[in-house]
Amino acid sequence: MHILDGALSLPVLLGASTLAVAGIAKGARELDLQRIPAAGLLSAVFFVASLVHVPIGPSSLHLIMNGLAGLILGWVAFPALFIGLLLQAVLFGFGGLTVLGVNTLNIALPAVIVFYLCRRGVAGPNATLAAVWGATAGALAIALTALGVAAVLALSGEAFIPAAKLVVIGHVPVMLVEGLLCAAAVTLIRRVRPDLLGVMSRSASASASARATAGADSRAPHSSPVQPPSEQPAPVFSEQPARLTR
Amino acid sequence: MSHLGDPSAPLLGAGDRTHPARGPIQTLDPRARILAVIGFAGVVILLDQPVALGVALALALTVAALARLPLRRTLRQLAAMDAFVLLMLLMLPFTTPGHALFALGPLTASAEGLRLAVDIALTANAILLMLLALVGELDPVVIGHALHRLRMPTVLVQLLQFTVRYVGLIDAELDRMRIAMRARGFVPGTNWHTYRSLGYALGMLLVRSLERAERVLCAMKCRGFSGRFPVLDTLHFRRIDAGLAALTMLALTGLLLLEWRLG
């Protein structure tokens, strides 16, 4: 998972970093005053989640959860996951400095792909089917991440091809675990706050707000930077209201 | 929480991250330090000659000594990365084609592969050590301010500040949920129940965080937030920082010259 400083060839490093910058820019454009607190909190959640170790057989693995991040954040996954990686590199020394762009691309691009492929399925009417889509999202994101890591290694030199294969094989258990966790998380979010899936993407959240305020208020959501927040009322369509305020 | 170290010391909390300035490095301007480490990393990945890389590592060790990095923590951080380096060192000589160095059963180790592995090991350690020495000891809030002054887009800086602000809080929230799970007799293992429970916990964490974000946004608006944080920092670029800049330029030019002469 961790690519080292100095392992990749310069063209690969520059190419991947350019793509990462483009992704971050695209995600940052979706962020406005309304969304920055939520994006910051989610970025913190995924930072913390990546420190959770999950038992698997005799050992344990740490989560990446980029599939779930993609489902909730959409393109905003790019800046949010970038910030998480930056903090990890600077504070813990996890992941190198020059490979920050490569790592961002490898983790955030699968999140965005999963967002486009699975968000409809996850929000569908059938709970079982939605859980299957959730599992697909979690597993697919990891598979794509592993393939991305393998690709940048293989592109950097023939000597890395065995290492690239090892990366792909090593990620199979991670894929399974993240798939299961993501399915469970999706199931829970659907029950508690179904409006949150895809909440950070402009289109999805606009339609969610439109649904929530339909008939009551016809002004366009998020048109002004300082309009009263919380367009979504207490989750009227959740089966099981959450008791969250402390 | 075990994975975030001592719970009494807020790792990412604002304010007291570690300790007051102790060495000469700590008195330098954060912007100068960030730029220096970026320049250093940019030059070091261009180097190929083991001697030049060795000099770079020695430079990083010197700066780390000047910064008086806590020995044990630094070693632990280096060891975490060097586990991967070791894997590379063991693998690369056998997977790189080239002059045979020695044979191990059906596998032959090549000199080129060994050289590549050594290069990577030196590069990765030099950059990480320099990063930890120059930037690792900074308060994350100060890093945010410095990046703001260095013209990083405001949105990203705000995202960074929010993340830094809330990591500790979310970690505490997760900790509470874990205690609650343990109180109900949850024992993690390799089974469906564990994965489902952890998935529910993560889902709940997300839901709670988004609800918290809504409250935070309300509170910010109550205080008249208009999309910009007033930055109340006391960054001063002084003579000594110009000195660091000059020294960095000199060192980096030296490294490149060394590489060029040897190459």
Side-chain angles (χ1 to χ4, degrees):
Chain A
M1 189 55 253
H2 298 254
I3 298 180
L4 298 166
D5 277 318
L8 300 180
S9 72
L10 215 51
V12 173
L13 215 54
L14 291 177
S17 300
T18 313
L19 288 177
V21 168
I24 293 167
K26 163 102 172 121
R29 216 171 307 139
E30 296 208 356
L31 280 176
D32 52 21
L33 180 59
Q34 300 287 334
R35 289 187 183 77
I36 283 185
L41 269 145
L42 290 174
S43 158
V45 168
F46 289 106
F47 182 92
V48 170
S50 73
L51 302 171
V52 173
H53 284 253
V54 178
I56 175 157
S59 76
S60 72
L61 52 88
H62 78 86
L63 298 174
I64 305 174
M65 276 295 148
N66 52 343
L68 196 56
L71 287 179
I72 295 195
L73 293 167
W75 276 98
V76 177
F78 258 101
L81 295 172
F82 164 71
I83 294 293
L85 287 169
L86 179 71
L87 285 175
Q88 283 197 347
V90 169
L91 298 177
F92 304 135
F94 290 167
L97 186 63
T98 58
V99 286
L100 208 53
V102 179
N103 284 338
T104 304
L105 185 71
N106 280 336
I107 290 182
L109 187 62
V112 172
I113 293 175
V114 155
F115 168 73
Y116 281 113
L117 289 181
C118 303
R119 103 189 118 150
R120 272 175 208 292
V122 160
N126 184 330
T128 318
L129 217 58
V132 171
W133 275 109
T136 312
L140 183 65
I142 299 298
L144 291 173
T145 297
L147 287 177
V149 173
V152 291
L153 281 176
L155 283 174
S156 289
E158 239 172 83
F160 291 107
I161 288 178
K165 285 180 184 155
L166 210 64
V167 165
V168 175
I169 295 166
H171 274 79
V172 171
V174 189
M175 238 174 85
L176 297 177
V177 168
E178 296 236 351
L180 291 177
L181 286 185
C182 193
V186 162
T187 306
L188 180 118
I189 293 171
R190 276 172 58 92
R191 244 183 252 156
V192 181
R193 284 289 301 270
D195 54 316
L196 293 189
L197 287 167
V199 76
M200 293 302 294
S201 86
R202 233 169 238 279
S203 51
S205 107
S207 65
S209 306
R211 245 185 292 131
T213 55
D217 190 346
S218 61
R219 79 193 137 158
H222 311 308
S223 55
S224 119
V226 275
Q227 67 177 198
S230 189
E231 297 289 20
Q232 294 119 16
V236 273
F237 36 95
S238 82
E239 294 153 29
Q240 181 183 312
R243 291 179 300 277
L244 302 148
T245 15
R246 322 178 31 97
Chain B
M1 172 157 285
S2 58
H3 63 254
L4 276 182
D6 181 13
S8 63
L11 183 69
L12 288 175
D16 58 309
R17 170 156 143 73
T18 37
H19 23 251
R22 293 178 311 173
I25 299 289
Q26 268 75 12
T27 60
L28 291 168
D29 187 289
R31 289 164 296 180
R33 286 153 74 175
I34 291 174
L35 288 181
V37 79
I38 291 174
F40 182 76
V43 166
V44 169
I45 56 164
L46 294 177
L47 303 181
D48 266 332
Q49 300 295 327
V51 177
L53 284 167
V55 173
L57 184 58
L59 207 63
L61 278 169
T62 313
V63 176
L66 282 176
R68 301 197 195 139
L69 285 183
L71 190 64
R72 189 178 293 183
R73 199 183 71 205
T74 309
L75 283 178
R76 212 175 44 229
Q77 287 170 331
L78 283 176
M81 185 193 67
D82 281 326
F84 289 93
V85 169
L86 203 63
L87 196 72
M88 285 247 177
L89 269 174
L90 291 177
M91 232 166 95
L92 278 177
F94 297 101
T95 59
T96 312
H99 297 293
L101 205 60
F102 61 91
L104 205 76
L107 299 167
T108 32
S110 70
E112 283 83 353
L114 190 63
R115 163 96 184 262
L116 184 61
V118 168
D119 271 6
I120 293 174
L122 290 173
T123 308
N125 279 297
I127 294 181
L128 179 58
L129 210 53
M130 193 59 105
L131 182 68
L132 292 176
L134 283 179
V135 184
E137 294 286 287
L138 281 175
D139 188 315
V141 175
V142 174
I143 296 179
H145 285 172
L147 288 173
H148 175 69
R149 299 281 188 198
L150 291 172
R151 306 283 160 84
M152 179 154 139
T154 319
V155 169
L156 289 182
V157 173
Q158 288 183 357
L159 201 55
L160 178 76
Q161 303 288 54
F162 269 109
T163 309
V164 165
R165 164 70 183 83
Y166 284 106
V167 160
L169 225 122
I170 300 236
D171 193 42
E173 181 110 51
L174 186 64
D175 211 19
R176 269 201 300 279
M177 290 167 75
R178 283 191 164 182
I179 291 170
M181 285 166 85
R182 219 179 310 147
R184 292 192 290 263
F186 174 73
V187 181
T190 309
N191 51 45
W192 170 230
H193 177 69
T194 297
Y195 296 140
R196 189 173 48 194
S197 305
L198 287 177
Y200 281 174
L202 282 180
M204 204 59 221
L205 193 63
L206 281 172
V207 170
R208 288 186 184 182
S209 308
L210 282 163
E211 309 232 334
R212 188 189 290 277
E214 282 167 20
R215 296 199 297 277
V216 169
L217 185 63
C218 289
M220 283 163 57
K221 284 177 175 166
C222 280
R223 290 163 179 78
F225 183 69
S226 61
R228 207 178 322 168
F229 288 115
V231 180
L232 305 170
D233 58 14
T234 48
L235 297 181
H236 296 295
F237 198 84
R238 290 162 308 165
R239 247 226 218 71
I240 184 169
D241 301 310
L244 173 73
L247 217 62
T248 309
M249 292 304 267
L250 209 66
L252 297 183
T253 318
L255 280 175
L256 284 174
L257 275 177
L258 191 62
E259 164 84 13
W260 179 62
R261 287 290 296 276
L262 291 169

